[in-house]
Structure formats: structure tokens, C-alpha cells
Amino acid sequence: MFMSIYKAISTLTTWLWSFPVLVFLIGGGLYLTVRNDFVQIKHFKAAMSQVFGNMFKGGNGDKISGWQAVTAALSATLGTGNIVGVGTAIALGGPGAVFWMWVIGFVAMALKYSEATLAVHTRIKDENGRWVGGAGRYLKNLWKPLGITYCISQTYGYLVAGGVHTGSVVTGAESLGIPRLATTIAIVVILALVMFGGLKVLVSITDKLVPIMAFIYIAGGLIVVIMHITSLGPALASIFAGAFTTAAPVGGFAGAVLREVIKNGCARGMYSSDAGNGSSSYIHAQADVDDPVKQGFFGVFEVFFDTIIVCSFTALVILCTGVWKTGDPGSVLAINAFSGTLGKAGNIIASIGLILFAGSTLLAFCNFIGLCVNDMFGSKTLATIAQVIYIVLAFVGGTVGVDKMLMWADFGNALCIICNTGGMCIMAGTISKLTHNYFKYGKSTPAKEVEATTDSPAA
């Protein structure tokens, strides 16, 4: 019975990612790029100024700053996708998959900008004076059934992600000789502490952890690439050569038809940045900012750093060292590349990187699922129950491993992308008005002057 369900879901997921999801991601991302005046290109400098100008700004009292919101969001996006996801894309789609990961990164900046902007624009305050908002809210404002469908899909996505990222942490710990069960139990305990500590505890961890873990991983990757510098040119050439052609069988790599190259590059690129699925919109909605567009800038930075910088380092490490030709599963390619070049030190760097990346995502999603369920049902009790289920599934993921969980994650992501990206395209007029007014007048149009629910793509 279970295998029949698994095969049916797997077939449906493969079909969704072969065409429909790509239309929403690439088509929707390009549409929002045009409607928002190519914000990730023309206004990239303004976005970076907003990010780095507020890098060390903390929140006041129970509030969190825009920077703390983006580091919490990055703790969710800088995860399994940056190491395991990139390796899986190359293992299944060859070097050309990296090109499509970059394409998704480009359009994903417009998607994430739109998510963060809408999240702040449509948020409201609850009875305790705290912000409530995110993709579920702005989609419900558009059409209630769409918002409910999205929230259910996103809750499922968060729950499955708990297993995926726990499996990644356990894989990294295993390579250091730490037993799977011991790591899994430790993760469950930490998740429980964060769950009861709430959002403020999360951001107090992530605004310090994210910069440190990113620096360690990028520095290690740079050393590996430099040590294989003669392979850098051929590695880059293979990315562009394989982007539009069928990959020929090489070594342990069985070859991939062009459809698989594109599908795996896009799927893993999206899974890395989470753009289009609205998952980090819940944390962006909590930011103590005075303008929706300012938080949208943080969304641009989030994807740029996650996909264009960190994922690229992982890809170059794997391609320059040649480990992608061994036929090993994608979940271990990055670790093999580091350890094969730097020995035990490389194994430690890659393993710790995987543990920190996936671990930070686990912490973030444990909080995000509570925000999502609370926004959907208006019940903190149900939010707590959802978090408990999340922790249970995290334990399951630690015992079965990440490779068996990725398909389920892709299925949830596909549903969220279709709902969220489709809804944002319908609300493109609202986002466009906010964007254009910001650059014309220095601030977005007040919420009362914008009717988010009446915009159409042609608006």
C-alpha cells in the first residue's frame, strides 16, 4: 500500500517539476521582474545598501530588525539545499544543472522580493500587539480558498522538511564518527528548547550563527577550488556546455537528458533558496521596518547570497575535484570533495558546514510552522501541536536518511509554489505600485490606498 502511494506521488511530483512548476517559477519570476522594474538588477545597489546599512541593528524589545529577520530567513534557506541539494542536482542532471540553478536564482530574487514586500504590506497586529502575516495571509486576502490551500500545503512542506534536514545533520555527524541515534536525540532536544523559547530565541541564535557558518564554509570551499585551480576553467565550461545539451555518460555518471538537467537544476535551486514557496514570508512579516519595500530588499539579498554565492561554491568544489563522476549519491558529493582534497580537515569543514546549515534550517522551520498554523487557524494550541509533530518527524528523518525524504519535500514545494507564485502574479499590480512609489517618493503607498485583492496581472 505504502509503495503504491509512494510511486503515485513520485510520478505526480516528476510531472509537476517537468513543466507546471517551471512555468510558475521561471515565468512568474520573469513576470514579477518586469512588473517590479527589474529590481534585482536596476536597484541591486539600493538593496545591498539597505542590507549592509542595517547589518548590526538589533530589534527593540520584542521586535526584530530587518537584518535579524533576514538572518532568520537565511538560517532556513542556507541549509540542506546548499550542500546536499547542489550535489543531488549535479548527480542527477550533470554540470549543466548548475546553470539552471543560476537562472532560478536570478528570477528567485524577484520572487523573494515580492514575498517579503507583500508580507509586510498585508500584515496585521494581534491582540498582543505582535505582527501576524505571511504568504497565507496575503493569499487569503486575495481569495480565501487559495490561502487555505496554501497554508495546508506549506504546513505539510514544513513537516517533511523537518525530516530532510535532520537526515542531513545526521549524515554530517556520522562522517565525524557520531552515532545517528545520539545526533537525532540531541536535535530533538534542541528543537524543543527553541519551540518553547519562541521567535526571539531563534533570532538571537541566527543573527550570530549565520555569518559564522557561511564564512567557515565559503573559506573552506575557496581553498579547495584554489587547490584545483587548473580545473576551474573546464568546470565552468562544463556548466554552460551541459546546460542545453544531453550529458554524455562519464565515469559513474549515467548521463541525463536535457529535461532532467533543467528539472534538477531548477528543483534543487528553488529548494535551496525557498523562493516562490513563501516559506520565509512569515519571518519577513515580523520585521520592525517602516516600509514594505525595504524588507523586500532583504529578500533580494537572501537569494543572492544563498544561491549565487554559497550554492556556486558547492558546485565548483564538486566539479573541480571531479567527485561528481564517481556515481556516489548527491548527499555525500560535497563532503567527499572536501575530504578528498583537505583530508580529515576537509571532512570536518564539510561535515560541520552541513550540520550548521541543516541545523539552522531545522530551528527556523520549527518556528515558521508555528507562525503558519497560528495564522491559518488563529490557534496557538494547534500551532504547538504542529510543532510537536514537526519534532517527531525530525526524529524519523534522522533514522531513515535524507535521500528517501527529498521526493516528499519536492511534492510539498510544488504545491506551495503553484499557490504562492500564482497568487503573487495576480497581485503584481500591488507590488509594482509599492515599488514604483518607493523609488519615486521615497516611501510606498499607504496600505489604505492600495487594494491588494483587486489587482490583476494586467493592472
Side-chain angles (χ1 to χ4, degrees):
M1 178 67 177
F2 175 79
M3 287 306 300
S4 297
I5 296 175
Y6 181 88
K7 289 180 180 178
I9 296 295
S10 179
T11 301
L12 176 59
T13 301
T14 299
W15 176 78
L16 286 172
W17 278 100
S18 65
F19 181 71
V21 172
L22 300 185
V23 170
F24 278 90
L25 277 177
I26 299 178
L30 289 174
Y31 177 68
L32 290 169
T33 294
V34 173
R35 290 303 304 272
N36 290 302
D37 195 30
F38 294 86
V39 64
Q40 70 270 53
I41 300 175
K42 292 177 63 174
H43 305 298
F44 184 78
K45 182 179 179 181
M48 295 305 103
S49 296
Q50 170 68 12
V51 171
F52 292 106
N54 293 275
M55 183 175 292
F56 301 106
K57 182 180 178 181
N60 298 316
D62 290 333
K63 298 178 180 178
I64 66 173
S65 68
W67 170 252
Q68 288 177 319
V70 81
T71 54
L74 274 170
S75 71
T77 56
L78 286 175
T80 304
N82 296 89
I83 301 178
V84 173
V86 175
T88 300
I90 295 174
L92 298 177
V98 179
F99 174 85
W100 293 103
M101 194 177 295
W102 289 338
V103 170
I104 282 296
F106 169 75
V107 299
M109 284 187 257
L111 292 170
K112 189 76 77 165
Y113 168 83
S114 300
E115 290 173 6
T117 300
L118 278 175
V120 174
H121 175 61
T122 59
R123 66 188 179 180
I124 61 173
K125 285 189 176 181
D126 63 14
E127 65 277 6
N128 297 315
R130 296 176 181 174
W131 290 118
V132 177
R137 178 157 297 276
Y138 60 70
L139 291 175
K140 280 192 289 185
N141 289 348
L142 177 65
W143 187 43
K144 190 172 182 179
L146 179 64
I148 293 174
T149 301
Y150 169 82
C151 287
I152 293 173
S153 301
Q154 187 60 268
T155 300
Y156 161 81
Y158 283 138
L159 291 174
V160 174
V164 172
H165 295 295
T166 304
S168 296
V169 173
V170 171
T171 297
E174 260 194 321
S175 67
L176 297 176
I178 304 174
R180 294 185 68 91
L181 184 59
T183 303
T184 303
I185 292 174
I187 290 172
V188 168
V189 172
I190 294 172
L191 285 176
L193 293 175
V194 170
M195 181 185 79
F196 289 112
L199 183 61
K200 200 63 180 177
V201 170
L202 173 66
V203 298
S204 69
I205 295 173
T206 56
D207 68 352
K208 300 176 182 64
L209 176 63
V210 167
I212 293 173
M213 71 184 191
F215 174 79
I216 292 173
Y217 184 73
I218 291 174
L222 184 61
I223 292 172
V224 173
V225 171
I226 290 174
M227 293 180 68
H228 293 85
I229 195 66
T230 57
S231 299
L232 180 58
L236 291 172
S238 69
I239 292 173
F240 291 98
F244 302 98
T245 60
T246 299
V250 180
F253 178 64
V257 297
L258 182 58
R259 182 183 63 186
E260 291 299 304
V261 175
I262 298 174
K263 186 195 80 171
N264 283 288
C266 290
R268 300 278 70 80
M270 182 272 143
Y271 190 69
S272 171
S273 69
D274 281 335
N277 73 3
S279 63
S280 60
S281 63
Y282 290 95
I283 191 67
H284 282 293
Q286 308 299 312
D288 183 25
V289 295
D290 58 6
D291 196 284
V293 170
K294 289 183 178 179
Q295 196 59 30
F297 289 154
F298 281 105
V300 172
F301 170 77
E302 182 186 336
V303 177
F304 174 77
F305 186 75
D306 173 89
T307 304
I308 306 302
I309 296 180
V310 180
C311 283
S312 294
F313 266 100
T314 300
L316 291 176
V317 164
I318 291 172
L319 295 176
C320 286
T321 56
V323 296
W324 68 281
K325 302 176 184 179
T326 62
D328 291 332
S331 58
V332 299
L333 287 183
I335 293 177
N336 291 350
F338 273 94
S339 59
T341 302
L342 302 176
K344 187 175 181 180
N347 183 57
I348 292 174
I349 291 173
S351 298
I352 290 178
L354 181 58
I355 291 170
L356 292 178
F357 280 18
S360 67
T361 303
L362 274 168
L363 298 180
F365 279 2
C366 186
N367 193 277
F368 291 4
I369 191 173
L371 294 173
C372 179
V373 173
N374 185 45
D375 187 41
M376 177 169 51
F377 296 107
S379 170
K380 293 183 178 179
T381 299
L382 288 178
T384 301
I385 292 174
Q387 289 177 306
V388 171
I389 297 173
Y390 173 89
I391 294 174
V392 171
L393 290 180
F395 180 85
V396 173
T399 60
V400 303
V402 64
D403 291 307
K404 297 178 181 178
M405 300 288 290
L406 279 174
M407 186 279 296
W408 297 102
D410 283 344
F411 176 65
N413 270 325
L415 298 179
C416 291
I417 289 167
I418 292 172
C419 291
N420 183 53
T421 304
M424 289 196 300
C425 286
I426 296 173
M427 291 185 283
T430 293
I431 311 168
S432 177
K433 186 173 182 180
L434 293 169
T435 303
H436 285 277
N437 282 351
Y438 179 84
F439 287 106
K440 186 175 182 179
Y441 304 114
K443 63 179 181 178
S444 302
T445 304
K448 64 181 180 180
E449 296 181 25
V450 180
E451 298 181 14
T453 59
T454 60
D455 280 315
S456 66

